[in-house]
Amino acid sequence: MTHDHAGLEGKIHDLNRAICKVHDAKHAELLLGFIRRPGWTTVAENELVQAHLDNLHGQVSSLHTSLDSLTKAAEKVGKK
């Protein structure tokens, strides 16, 4: 069985590009500009935005933990 190193490299580069794309996005700047507008949200809408931000933060934290676990485990492969 042969290993598809090129395929793995492609997936790693694709993941890195996706992470960089999120990192370079200007979402925080846009959101910070919106939230101070008079009448921007109702109390209920504010709760929905808060919940969505909490969810996104959890996803990013999970991604970070997963990448750390993957790199630590991959480093051990083939070592005695």
Side-chain angles (χ1 to χ4, degrees):
M1 177 179 186
T2 62
H3 295 286
D4 182 11
H5 292 115
L8 283 174
E9 287 175 358
K11 286 180 182 255
I12 291 167
H13 288 299
D14 287 347
L15 176 61
N16 194 59
R17 278 190 291 275
I19 291 169
C20 287
K21 188 175 179 181
V22 170
H23 174 72
D24 290 341
K26 305 295 181 203
H27 298 110
E29 292 173 25
L30 292 170
L31 288 168
L32 289 168
F34 298 151
I35 64 173
R36 297 280 182 193
R37 289 182 187 167
W40 180 69
T41 63
T42 65
V43 173
E45 291 166 336
N46 182 62
E47 288 183 29
L48 287 170
V49 171
Q50 294 269 4
H52 200 82
L53 289 170
D54 289 344
N55 179 275
L56 288 168
H57 187 271
Q59 290 180 47
V60 171
S61 294
S62 179
L63 174 63
H64 181 72
T65 300
S66 295
L67 287 169
D68 277 350
S69 297
L70 175 61
T71 53
K72 286 176 185 174
E75 183 179 31
K76 294 176 184 177
V77 173
K79 288 188 175 183
K80 291 185 179 191

